[in-house]
Amino acid sequence: MKGKKYMVALFIVLLSVMSIMFFQKDNQSETKKEESIGASTGSVEKIEKMLQSMTLEEKVGQLMMVGFKGTERSGEITELIEKKYIGGVIYFDRNMKSPKQVASLSNSLQQTAKQNSLSLPLMVATDQEGGDIIRMKERVSPLPAQQNLGQYATSEDMYKVANLNGKELSSMGININFAPVLDLSKTDKRSVGQDPKKAYEYGKRAIQGLNDASVTGALKHFPGNGRSEIDPHVETSSVEATQLDLENSDIYPFKKIISEMDNQNFFVMVTHIKYPAYDKEKPASLSKVIIEDLLRGKLRYKGLVITDDLEMGAVNKYFSYEDMGTEAILAGADILLVCHEYAHQLEVYEGLLEAVKAGKVPIERIDQSVKRVLTYKLYTMNDTKVDPNQAEKVVRSPESLKYIESLELAK
């Protein structure tokens, strides 16, 4: 009998201790939750305060990413950063001759941005896909084409190659890579293949590999241009497929990654190709139905949307530069990419500025995109200064070359 009483008493004591522990754990969980909400609220307030202090010129500038000529900071790019408050730059071969030089250029541009009234970091981007699309090809690691990775490598290899790529880019001050390509194609070397599930799986691992090297990736070319055989650099084209067909195949990899990953960790680049099943008149990059209704509405994407280069023949043959920026922003794009000519960049900038002043573009629409840009810059971008000497050691290192060679894929 005494034994029974002892066991009951012991059970009651254990139950009490467990209740106290559960209560404490629950309290800790609630405290962490409240702290998280508090931090989030503080972030929102900081962004709102900054937004209210910005001029219209500063806001419009932050919504543009531009290319420029030369391996050093030119007068034109300096003027665009200092006077037009341009939010980002994109590098091509014309800007890159060695890892050390690129790192020094990045530092110089970031310093220029830091000294203007906004003092915000610059988005520094490039297209480092692998295969034929490699900038400064002779000085970086020989990255395999996505087609080769899709055919002969595992998704883990995709992660490792992307991570290696990201480390090289990051060491040179490049914080955004316009990759991976999610287009479905049997023949295009830029594509991992025709299987939507493989494109999703490999694309997701590529984003993770870049992110783990402090580089933001970009899913392209939404909503998928693998069906088109016409180069949008040259001319426009239409994808004749139903919404159901597109959403079960071409759009599937985008949809899965958007639903499973933090949307702050990647951009979505929208193509200039037309999709009559959604919009009979406008290319995807200028279509509100495709960007606002499909990408943001149906797929619930919360991150940054960037247009493909507005100087491509698919759009510049049919729209003026003054109108293109306005059309893209009204459609829901956040960043306008103008890769080459200074005159065109000014036209896009001035065109959007005038459209807001004339009431064609509501200031609320501008503010939506500026908020997204500020959120990304303030809470995703880390220290932008890099060591040029370290870049020389990281880029095309013996270890990287040995790893890529071991894959037997570099072609």
Side-chain angles (χ1 to χ4, degrees):
M1 195 70 177
K2 282 182 181 179
K4 266 189 179 181
K5 285 182 179 179
Y6 174 77
M7 291 298 289
V8 170
L10 183 62
F11 177 74
I12 291 169
V13 170
L14 284 170
L15 196 63
S16 300
V17 170
M18 286 174 70
S19 297
I20 290 166
M21 287 172 68
F22 178 80
F23 179 74
Q24 287 176 336
K25 188 177 180 182
D26 199 44
N27 266 0
Q28 288 171 356
S29 176
E30 285 301 312
T31 303
K32 283 182 180 177
K33 192 175 177 183
E34 285 169 14
E35 285 172 358
S36 175
I37 292 169
S40 178
T41 303
S43 302
V44 171
E45 287 174 356
K46 184 176 181 180
I47 289 167
E48 285 291 346
K49 190 175 179 182
M50 189 166 189
L51 189 68
Q52 289 170 17
S53 70
M54 290 171 72
T55 65
L56 177 59
E57 289 76 11
E58 289 170 338
K59 290 177 181 179
V60 169
Q62 285 299 299
L63 304 186
M64 289 187 65
M65 178 178 284
V66 302
F68 61 99
K69 298 177 177 69
T71 54
E72 295 181 355
R73 179 167 52 88
S74 66
E76 289 179 352
I77 194 60
T78 300
E79 188 267 338
L80 287 169
I81 296 169
E82 287 182 345
K83 306 297 183 185
K84 308 299 184 189
Y85 315 100
I86 296 301
V89 296
I90 180 169
Y91 290 163
F92 291 88
D93 279 328
R94 64 187 181 221
N95 307 118
M96 309 169 77
K97 64 180 182 182
S98 74
K100 187 173 184 177
Q101 169 268 320
V102 176
S104 297
L105 176 61
S106 298
N107 284 342
S108 176
L109 293 171
Q110 291 289 5
Q111 187 62 29
T112 303
K114 193 175 181 182
Q115 289 170 347
N116 73 20
S117 58
L118 289 175
S119 195
L120 285 169
L122 272 180
M123 299 178 191
V124 181
T126 195
D127 295 281
Q128 201 76 326
E129 297 173 16
D132 293 334
I133 314 298
I134 299 181
R135 308 306 181 205
M136 200 169 61
K137 201 164 191 171
E138 301 305 315
R139 299 299 303 272
V140 299
S141 292
L143 305 165
Q146 284 196 185
Q147 183 187 63
N148 292 336
L149 287 164
Q151 287 178 344
Y152 307 113
T154 65
S155 61
E156 184 59 26
D157 291 325
M158 187 76 167
Y159 169 87
K160 289 178 180 177
V161 170
N163 187 247
L164 180 157
N165 185 15
K167 286 175 180 174
E168 293 197 352
L169 295 175
S170 183
S171 74
M172 294 185 285
I174 298 169
N175 44 51
I176 297 162
N177 185 25
F178 292 135
V181 174
L182 297 188
D183 302 332
L184 306 180
S185 174
K186 186 179 180 180
T187 57
D188 189 354
K189 287 185 177 180
R190 301 170 74 191
S191 166
V192 297
Q194 286 180 301
D195 182 355
K197 290 183 179 178
K198 178 174 271 192
Y200 143 68
E201 182 187 355
Y202 280 53
K204 182 178 179 180
R205 293 300 278 153
I207 293 292
Q208 289 170 336
L210 290 168
N211 288 167
D212 288 347
S214 301
V215 173
T216 300
L219 310 182
K220 65 185 189 185
H221 305 81
F222 187 81
N225 65 8
R227 295 171 186 258
S228 175
E229 293 184 7
I230 297 173
D231 185 353
H233 288 84
V234 180
E235 186 54 88
T236 188
S237 62
S238 292
V239 168
E240 303 299 333
T242 66
Q243 289 188 17
L244 184 63
D245 192 16
L246 287 165
E247 288 174 31
N248 286 336
S249 57
D250 306 60
I251 294 171
Y252 176 87
F254 295 93
K255 180 181 178 181
K256 286 287 285 180
I257 293 174
I258 287 166
S259 68
E260 292 181 9
M261 297 188 76
D262 183 345
N263 291 185
Q264 288 298 316
N265 291 341
F266 57 89
F267 291 11
V268 171
M269 178 179 280
V270 186
T271 183
H272 295 317
I273 292 173
K274 290 181 181 178
Y275 297 79
Y278 291 101
D279 191 327
K280 289 182 169 61
E281 301 298 323
K282 294 181 179 178
S285 56
L286 308 182
S287 170
K288 189 172 183 179
V289 178
I290 290 175
I291 298 177
E292 281 292 349
D293 299 348
L294 176 60
L295 180 57
R296 292 218 185 275
K298 196 166 187 177
L299 273 57
R300 298 182 182 179
Y301 177 62
K302 306 287 190 236
L304 284 162
V305 174
I306 185 165
T307 67
D308 209 339
D309 181 16
L310 294 178
E311 290 178 296
M312 287 184 180
V315 282
N316 75 6
K317 287 182 179 180
Y318 306 95
F319 301 88
S320 69
Y321 288 107
E322 291 92 338
D323 292 339
M324 264 193 283
T326 299
E327 292 279 350
I329 293 294
L330 285 173
D334 300 306
I335 301 174
L336 309 170
L337 182 61
V338 192
C339 290
H340 302 288
E341 299 301 327
Y342 173 72
H344 297 159
Q345 293 156 4
L346 289 181
E347 287 176 59
V348 172
Y349 176 85
E350 296 294 346
L352 182 54
L353 201 61
E354 290 307 312
V356 179
K357 290 177 181 177
K360 293 178 184 177
V361 178
I363 189 64
E364 293 79 11
R365 173 66 202 89
I366 296 293
D367 286 351
Q368 277 181 337
S369 288
V370 175
K371 277 183 191 178
R372 291 189 190 111
V373 170
L374 292 178
T375 300
Y376 173 77
K377 287 193 172 187
L378 295 175
Y379 302 104
T380 302
M381 294 179 71
N382 299 315
D383 183 23
T384 55
K385 190 174 182 181
V386 290
D387 180 352
N389 292 319
Q390 184 64 16
E392 285 288 343
K393 296 175 184 175
V394 172
V395 180
R396 203 179 170 89
S397 69
E399 294 79 16
S400 296
L401 293 174
K402 187 177 179 181
Y403 169 69
I404 292 174
E405 189 179 345
S406 75
L407 292 172
E408 298 183 349
L409 299 173
K411 294 178 182 178

